[in-house]
């Protein structure tokens, strides 16, 4: 039986990856290592928590001796590393938290994996999950490819870029078997309501202002989270060692157009007159260092591994909005406590 460590499995994307692996691979033992920060939530995995091939471990990837002991104890065959501080706005307030988890935490895992696999790297794999934000910002034209030079603009993207460089360096220096993917903006169920789509769904439900940064003419490339999890499964099993793959939705939206679309979907769902939710749109001070546009060229993973998104944006948004409307307890639980302080600091000046 293979032992696979998934870090950050209680978070948004991680929980979808854990669910997919636990359901699909009964021959694997899946270990979910998560510190349960504000973004980690075991409710995300309530449906699989009793599965025989699933183990949850609470722990912090920045704790070097804990990580060393964990690898010695369990002798993992593979690592899928998603644990991170993931929100750009929080990185602007507190960059060091991002350096600690995203850089030092990643290097701790790399050290433990290289030591464990040094004698027999055959069949082992360290999979680092990263972001398209490492490439910086695009103008009106062009797409990020796997060879686009790194040019990060926020403390978050700088910390992710740094971790990517460490992963590559461990591949070159120690011949660590790794794969790396850089993905565009995900959306879907279990997304923490600090990010644009779930924040705006929650604010529409609760009749709160929809804070659009700057003029709203910023562009993101949106991918349904389950399609990202499917891509991660494919790259983990079939990706070539030491290769990078870009993952994206072929689905660019200006923020303001996306917000208008979301408002009209929510008007329908909530039985409001058309245009009611859009009255909540409020233009607010821009995010410092705000990247104008991200767009991924996902042709390499498509051509080499046969991956492409399985749902349209319309279908994905329908599933997402329905999930939030059907899970008011989840929303209530994650928006009480620390969230209220964060919200006040970020939006109520
Ligand atoms: P998230 O913030 O929802 O979840 C992060 C998880 O990591 C949480 O469960 C948290 O408890 C855990 N964690 C944080 N610090 C930890 C630590 N020190 N030790 C152990 N666990 C810790 O993030 P997400 O949106 O699911 O993103 C997951 C990964 O995917 C990140 O590496 C992120 O950079 C990357 N990514 C995200 C997106 C996106 O759109 N959300 C897109 C591309 C790449
Ligand atoms: O591109 C991948 C990245 O996508 C991931 O690596 C990050 O972890 C993830 O958080 C996301 O980063 P963004 O900064 O693009 O996502 P966010 O949801 O924070 O913002 C999306 C866009 O919406 C961005 O242009 C900023 C804008 N925005 C966001 C918030 C939270 C607003 O206008 N108002 C808001 O309140």
């Amino acid at each position: 039986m293979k032992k696979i460590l998934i870090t950050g499995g209680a978070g948004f994307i991680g929980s979808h990856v854990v669910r997919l692996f636990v359901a699909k691979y009964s021959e694997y033992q899946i270990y979910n290592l998560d510190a349960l920060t504000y973004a980690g939530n075991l409710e995300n995995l309530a449906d699989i928590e009793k599965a025989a091939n699933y183990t949850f471990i609470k722990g912090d990837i920045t704790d070097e001796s804990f990580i060393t002991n964990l690898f010695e104890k369990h002798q993992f065959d593979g690592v899928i590393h998603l644990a991170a501080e993931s929100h750009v706005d929080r990185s602007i307030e507190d960059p060091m938290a991002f350096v600690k988890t995203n850089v030092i935490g990643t290097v701790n895992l790399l050290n433990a994996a290289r030591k464990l696999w040094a004698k027999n790297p055959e069949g082992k794999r360290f999979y680092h999950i990263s972001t398209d934000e490492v490439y910086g910002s695009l103008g009106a034209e062009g797409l990020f490819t796997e060879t686009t030079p790194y040019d990060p603009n926020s403390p978050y993207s700088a910390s992710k870029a740094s971790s990517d460089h460490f992963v590559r360096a461990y591949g070159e220096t120690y011949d660590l078997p790794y794969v790396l993917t850089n993905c565009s903006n995900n959306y879907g169920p279990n997304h923490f309501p600090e990010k644009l789509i779930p924040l705006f769904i929650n604010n529409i439900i609760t009749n709160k202002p929809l804070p659009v940064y700057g003029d709203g003419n910023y562009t993101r490339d949106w991918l349904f989270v389950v399609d990202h999890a499917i891509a991660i499964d494919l790259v983990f099993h079939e990706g070539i060692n030491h290769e990078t793959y870009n993952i994206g939705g072929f689905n660019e939206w200006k923020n303001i157009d996306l917000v208008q679309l979301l408002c009209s979907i929510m008007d329908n769902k909530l039985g409001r007159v058309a245009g009611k939710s859009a009255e909540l749109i409020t233009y607010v001070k821009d995010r410092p260092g705000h990247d104008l546009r991200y767009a991924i060229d996902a042709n390499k993973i498509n051509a080499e591994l046969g991956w492409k998104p399985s749902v349209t944006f319309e279908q994905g948004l329908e599933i997402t909005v329905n999930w939030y409307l059907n899970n008011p307890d989840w929303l209530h639980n994650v928006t009480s406590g620390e969230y209220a302080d964060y919200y006040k600091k970020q939006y109520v000046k």
Side-chain angles (χ1 to χ4, degrees):
M1 182 176 250
K2 276 198 165 180
K3 295 179 166 191
I4 310 296
L5 175 70
I6 299 181
T7 71
F12 167 47
I13 302 171
S15 60
H16 289 274
V17 176
V18 167
R19 178 174 299 101
L20 188 153
F21 272 67
V22 166
K24 189 168 171 188
Y25 299 106
S26 56
E27 70 276 29
Y28 292 175
Q29 187 65 32
I30 304 299
Y31 296 85
N32 170 15
L33 169 65
D34 199 297
L36 299 182
T37 68
Y38 77 92
N41 183 355
L42 289 177
E43 273 185 64
N44 293 344
L45 292 165
D47 55 326
I48 56 113
E49 69 187 0
K50 294 202 167 66
N53 64 337
Y54 172 69
T55 308
F56 174 71
I57 301 166
K58 186 171 188 300
D60 190 331
I61 60 167
T62 68
D63 183 339
E64 189 182 349
S65 61
F66 165 74
I67 291 296
T68 308
N69 292 336
L70 191 74
F71 275 66
E72 276 169 14
K73 179 173 173 198
H74 294 293
Q75 305 277 310
F76 301 118
D77 299 290
V79 177
I80 304 178
H81 174 38
L82 296 110
E85 288 293 339
S86 68
H87 191 37
V88 173
D89 293 328
R90 289 188 192 249
S91 82
I92 294 166
E93 285 304 310
D94 181 13
M96 195 52 86
F98 287 68
V99 174
K100 284 184 184 148
T101 289
N102 299 0
V103 184
I104 296 173
T106 300
V107 176
N108 272 338
L109 292 167
L110 288 168
N111 279 336
R114 103 176 152 86
K115 274 184 214 140
L116 181 64
W117 300 338
K119 285 208 183 89
N120 183 16
E122 196 55 37
K124 309 294 192 294
R125 173 151 279 186
F126 189 101
Y127 182 174
H128 182 58
I129 309 294
S130 192
T131 169
D132 61 357
E133 299 202 9
V134 298
Y135 297 125
S137 184
L138 291 163
E141 299 293 317
L143 299 171
F144 296 134
T145 72
E146 288 78 2
T147 55
T148 300
Y150 276 31
D151 188 19
N153 292 315
S154 72
Y156 163 68
S157 53
S159 69
K160 291 297 289 187
S162 172
S163 63
D164 290 10
H165 290 319
F166 272 102
V167 172
R168 283 213 183 84
Y170 274 58
E172 291 303 313
T173 307
Y174 307 110
D175 216 14
L176 183 85
Y178 80 85
V179 282
L180 197 165
T181 51
N182 298 91
C183 188
S184 65
N185 288 62
N186 286 215
Y187 70 96
N190 311 96
H191 205 182
F192 193 80
E194 63 187 352
K195 311 280 168 59
L196 181 76
I197 290 181
L199 173 74
F200 280 33
I201 291 174
N202 188 36
N203 284 15
I204 292 170
I205 295 171
T206 52
N207 264 308
K208 286 215 282 244
L210 305 177
V212 173
Y213 294 159
D215 60 7
N217 285 321
Y218 294 88
T219 299
R220 297 292 183 265
D221 170 0
W222 293 95
L223 176 68
F224 189 54
V225 63
V226 175
D227 278 327
H228 189 189
I230 292 169
I232 288 171
D233 177 20
L234 205 58
V235 172
F236 183 67
H237 290 99
E238 292 177 32
I240 308 281
N241 266 338
H242 295 198
E243 286 286 324
T244 289
Y245 302 86
N246 280 353
I247 305 171
F250 302 96
N251 180 38
E252 285 184 52
W253 283 80
K254 274 194 176 156
N255 290 344
I256 191 60
D257 297 337
L258 169 55
V259 170
Q260 292 282 4
L261 173 65
L262 209 50
C263 286
S264 73
I265 295 173
M266 293 300 286
D267 280 344
N268 257 322
K269 297 274 176 197
L270 298 171
R272 293 180 182 168
V273 293
K276 191 72 196 153
S277 299
E279 287 172 12
L280 298 168
I281 293 173
T282 311
Y283 289 91
V284 300
K285 193 166 154 276
D286 212 347
R287 170 186 281 175
H290 199 166
D291 287 331
L292 179 66
R293 177 173 163 257
Y294 305 144
I296 280 276
D297 177 345
N299 283 310
K300 177 177 172 182
I301 188 171
N302 177 249
E304 295 184 12
L305 302 181
W307 175 89
K308 63 176 188 330
S310 70
V311 297
T312 63
F313 197 36
E314 206 181 21
Q315 291 166 328
L317 277 182
E318 173 76 13
I319 297 168
T320 304
V321 166
N322 286 344
W323 187 85
Y324 282 95
L325 290 172
N326 292 330
N327 288 277
D329 291 348
W330 184 95
L331 254 182
H332 173 77
N333 292 346
V334 301
T335 51
S336 29
E338 191 267 359
Y339 183 82
D341 296 338
Y342 166 77
Y343 196 90
K344 216 162 137 194
K345 236 182 175 172
Q346 181 67 18
Y347 296 109
V348 188
K349 302 289 174 191

